[in-house]
Amino acid sequence: EKMKIESKYKLGIVKNGKPFYGEVILEIESLPDSDRHEVVEKYSGKGFKSQGYVESIPPEGYDAWKIGIKTGVEYALKRINDSRKFKVTILESNGLTTDTNPIILAYVSSRAILKEFANNESETDLNKIEEIVFNSWSYEYDTQISFDKLDVAK
């Protein structure tokens, strides 16, 4: 039977004196007649308003953030214990230039899916991912995570 859910995940904490913030809203629906997952971007935010205000990703721009989100979604879809194929529509993502980077958003988008499904992500892998996320401010701003290598993408 067809399944369709909306899943949100938000991270907003300060660790070691540094801020980590990101939020994503995804729509996840099963694709009964498909043999592969689909990821669709439907951003409709307004982007940067002024300092200190949350930025909602607009249709144009914010490419590094968008790549991070897609990376997280694709990683999570590989990890779920479900033979079905899914269409994941990225409805919205919010961040702050000062508190958000692509690695944080990759983490947030992966959690939005993994919290909804039984999955085979090991605790070891999760710990490694969280270590990368919470050290992400020590990399260049547009650095992406490589979930395959459990490291930052070079």
Side-chain angles (χ1 to χ4, degrees), residues 139-153:
Y139 309 115
E140 293 285 314
Y141 184 73
D142 285 351
T143 300
Q144 301 284 347
I145 187 170
S146 164
F147 285 105
D148 293 338
K149 297 197 292 261
L150 291 180
D151 202 349
V152 290

Side-chain angles (χ1 to χ4, degrees), residues 43-63:
Y43 296 106
S44 62
K46 297 273 182 273
F48 183 81
K49 286 201 287 271
S50 67
Q51 201 59 49
Y53 285 89
V54 169
E55 297 163 50
S56 189
I57 296 184
E60 299 298 317
Y62 287 76
D63 293 346

Side-chain angles (χ1 to χ4, degrees), residues 30-38 83-86:
S30 57
L31 293 174
D33 304 318
S34 182
D35 58 355
R36 58 193 187 92
H37 298 302
E38 271 179 56
S83 54
R84 294 177 294 179
K85 298 300 174 193
F86 295 95

